[in-house]
Every structure is written in structure tokens, then in C-alpha cells.
Amino acid sequence: MAAVLEPYIYVGGIHQHTLITELLEDLGGYLIQKVPAATEVTLVMLIPREDVHLIEELGKKLLGKLERAPLTGTEIAVVSPTLASHHLPHSACDVAEFMRRGGANTNMIGLARGMGRRVSLSDNYERKLINEHDLAVFSFGTFADCIKNKKPKLLEGVTVPKIVAGGPLNVKTEEVAGADLYVGGIGRVAHRMRKPGELSSLDVLLEKVVEVVEKMREDLAKDPLAVLPPRVMKEIHEQIPEIFDVFSPAPVTLQLDGLRVKLPYDEFHERVENLEFDEGVRLSDMAVITKSRMKNYILVKIKRESEVGFTA
């Protein structure tokens, strides 16, 4: 039986941090992302549950800090009606930052150009781009009338879980048509959200997103994926060395049921499809590989165990 992997973030000095990564590899865990910054390094990891204490003990010796990051391995879209200053205020950036602190990879998406809500999502391309993510957080602003009666049309056609953030605290989820969850206290502001009440609202949003993600993980556990996304990432690193030449953040971005590989589709999709696993099994036997709507990237969606009849 495969080990249960727990998501954690380690923050510590860059000196001797390789001791952490070497121990992680020995334990059968996965390094999802490494972000060096001057004299510090941040490691996003998946650690076997029974071995977390070993990483924690070594981290303490190196004067580092290990914290659980429940959104590790997810990609979240933070969506605003437009890119204009009245629709993409500081709060949307703070929402994305709080999701990243939970371990998620986030993408900011502004829907329309110029005319706001009347033309946003008029292009089906935008819906498909949002649907490539694990879930979407929509920033709907401050006015209850807009949130309840006008902007819910932006949720139409979006099939991933939809969480709406807005200013009013008295709006209920069932009043926002199409939303899976509404979180108040996160409206339009002209400053970074750093006051106690504002930070509390962001904490509540993060908690609610974590609850949604945990439910999605429970659903996946009932019919597991044919191969774990971090396992695919490891094979990409070993079999496609060109991935190390990519300068985009998170060249291989994990999702709950797949990955986004930031390599040109036309040039690399066949090599991704032909990634070899145990006993001659190839990734194309266990996943659907398509061109992403995000630039020219490669999108990998892994099939369930019941669909392929085996696991790698």
C-alpha cells in the first residue's frame, strides 16, 4: 500500500538545506518546489506521513521551520471581472498571496477588456482556461446588488468549484447563483489588506478553500489516480532535462488530478506522452495530454485507476 503523503513547507537557511532534500528523497517523498531567496530557501514538499517527524527534527537542527501547507499540489485561479483598477484592486492580490502561503500555485485572471461585466466571459476561451485549474476564487467587489444579481453570470460554464469573495458580510451562498461558497469581508480596497479584520477575513477564506480541497481529495481517494502527479513530475525531471531551462515559476505545476508542464506543446508533447514508468507503461496509457489554453503549455490530466485497471 502506498504511503500517505502530507504537504509541508520548510523555510530555513540555504546553507546545508540539501540535507533536507536528500533525507526527503530517501524517505520516498517529493520536492515540489524550491525557492531560494538571498540567504534563505523555501522548500515545498510532500512527506510520507509516518516520517514527518524526521524532517521536522532535522529542520530544527538546521534552525529552520516546518509548517503544514494544505494546498500544496493545487493550482487555483483568482478571477476578477476585468484588469481595470476598479476591478483588480489590492484585495485580489492579497487573496492570491494567502493561497500561495497555503502551498497553492495561483494564476491571476482578468476576464474582460474595457467594458467590464457586459463582455467578460463572452469568449469561451476564458471559461476553458479557468476550468483547467483545480478551483477558482472570484473577486466580486463590494456591492451586494452586483454580487447577487449581476455578476453571477460570470460563473456560468465554469465546472470547477467556484468560491466567491465579496465585501458584504450578510450575503449568503445560496443568494449567489452558481457559487459553491461565498466568503464576505473581502471587498474592494485601495490598500493592501493588513488590518486585523481584513486579515481575519483572508484567514476565513483560506480555511474555506482548504475545506473544499480536502473534500476533493476525499473524492479522489474513493477512485485513486492511476499515478500520482508528483511521480509524473519526478519522471519529467529525469527524462526531459530541458525542463530545467524553463524560467517560468513552477515549470511543472501540480494539480489534484494532473499537471501543467511549461514546455512548448508542439515540440515536447510526444516526449511527455512517452514518459516511461514501470514495466513499459507510458504516461499516455494513464493520462490525457492536451494543449493548455495558457500560452502554449502542456496540460496533463491523469485517469482514474478504474479507467486503466492498474497503478504505476
Side-chain angles (χ1 to χ4, degrees):
M1 185 176 178
V4 177
L5 300 174
E6 293 285 347
Y8 280 86
I9 290 180
Y10 170 82
V11 179
I14 200 164
H15 177 62
Q16 290 190 326
H17 78 277
T18 53
L19 294 176
I20 294 284
T21 57
E22 289 170 1
L23 176 59
L24 180 68
E25 185 175 354
D26 292 341
L27 296 173
Y30 296 95
L31 177 64
I32 306 304
Q33 193 173 4
K34 179 170 77 170
V35 184
T39 59
E40 281 196 345
V41 66
T42 300
L43 305 176
V44 183
M45 305 177 287
L46 290 173
I47 309 170
R49 179 179 291 170
E50 63 272 17
D51 298 322
V52 170
H53 68 284
L54 298 175
I55 298 287
E56 192 170 20
E57 289 168 8
L58 179 57
K60 287 180 180 178
K61 291 179 183 177
L62 298 176
L63 303 181
K65 188 177 181 182
L66 187 70
E67 289 186 347
R68 196 171 189 279
L71 297 182
T72 295
T74 62
E75 188 179 33
I76 297 175
V78 179
V79 186
S80 191
T82 73
L83 290 172
S85 58
H86 59 283
H87 273 141
L88 195 69
H90 294 81
S91 61
C93 298
D94 287 313
V95 166
E97 174 62 23
F98 260 66
M99 298 301 107
R100 287 193 289 270
R101 290 182 187 179
N105 284 97
T106 60
N107 294 311
M108 302 283 291
I109 299 177
L111 296 179
R113 277 95 22 216
M115 293 179 66
R117 67 187 181 214
R118 281 187 291 164
V119 297
S120 59
L121 271 182
S122 59
D123 185 354
N124 200 41
Y125 166 88
E126 294 173 328
R127 289 189 180 90
K128 291 178 179 178
L129 176 57
I130 295 171
N131 286 335
E132 288 183 1
H133 295 76
D134 289 310
L135 61 89
V137 178
F138 285 79
S139 180
F140 272 8
T142 303
F143 302 107
D145 177 58
C146 264
I147 293 171
K148 293 191 287 188
N149 301 318
K150 297 173 182 177
K151 288 180 179 169
K153 82 175 188 72
L154 301 181
L155 306 177
E156 295 175 2
V158 178
T159 57
V160 296
K162 302 169 286 288
I163 298 175
V164 172
L169 294 169
N170 58 350
V171 173
K172 299 178 181 179
T173 297
E174 53 268 24
E175 294 179 298
V176 185
D180 294 289
L181 194 66
Y182 173 81
V183 179
I186 305 174
R188 211 173 288 153
V189 293
H191 58 269
R192 292 296 303 272
M193 299 182 72
R194 52 181 176 265
K195 297 178 181 177
E198 296 167 342
L199 294 176
S200 296
S201 297
L202 288 170
D203 285 333
V204 171
L205 175 63
L206 179 58
E207 290 173 9
K208 297 299 183 182
V209 170
V210 169
E211 289 177 8
V212 172
V213 168
E214 290 298 337
K215 186 177 185 304
M216 294 169 71
R217 285 188 172 126
E218 289 174 8
D219 291 340
L220 275 174
K222 295 174 183 175
D223 186 6
L225 299 175
V227 60
L228 290 175
R231 170 75 191 283
V232 179
M233 181 187 70
K234 182 180 179 182
E235 296 300 333
I236 291 172
H237 288 161
E238 293 179 356
Q239 299 182 40
I240 308 179
E242 289 88 344
I243 195 69
F244 296 107
D245 298 328
V246 176
F247 293 112
S248 300
V252 180
T253 301
L254 295 190
Q255 300 177 343
L256 289 176
D257 62 349
L259 314 89
R260 190 188 306 280
V261 184
K262 297 180 180 178
L263 287 169
Y265 177 86
D266 295 334
E267 185 179 350
F268 286 95
H269 77 92
E270 290 185 357
R271 291 176 63 183
V272 172
E273 291 169 0
N274 292 321
L275 285 171
E276 292 187 1
F277 293 79
D278 301 329
E279 300 177 358
V281 176
R282 299 181 185 276
L283 182 60
S284 57
D285 299 325
M286 303 179 289
V288 177
I289 295 95
T290 58
K291 181 184 286 189
S292 170
R293 269 77 180 179
M294 183 181 292
K295 298 187 178 178
N296 192 29
Y297 296 150
I298 301 168
L299 187 69
V300 179
K301 287 296 183 181
I302 301 170
K303 298 177 182 178
R304 301 294 184 99
E305 186 179 327
S306 61
E307 294 180 74
V308 299
F310 60 86
T311 57

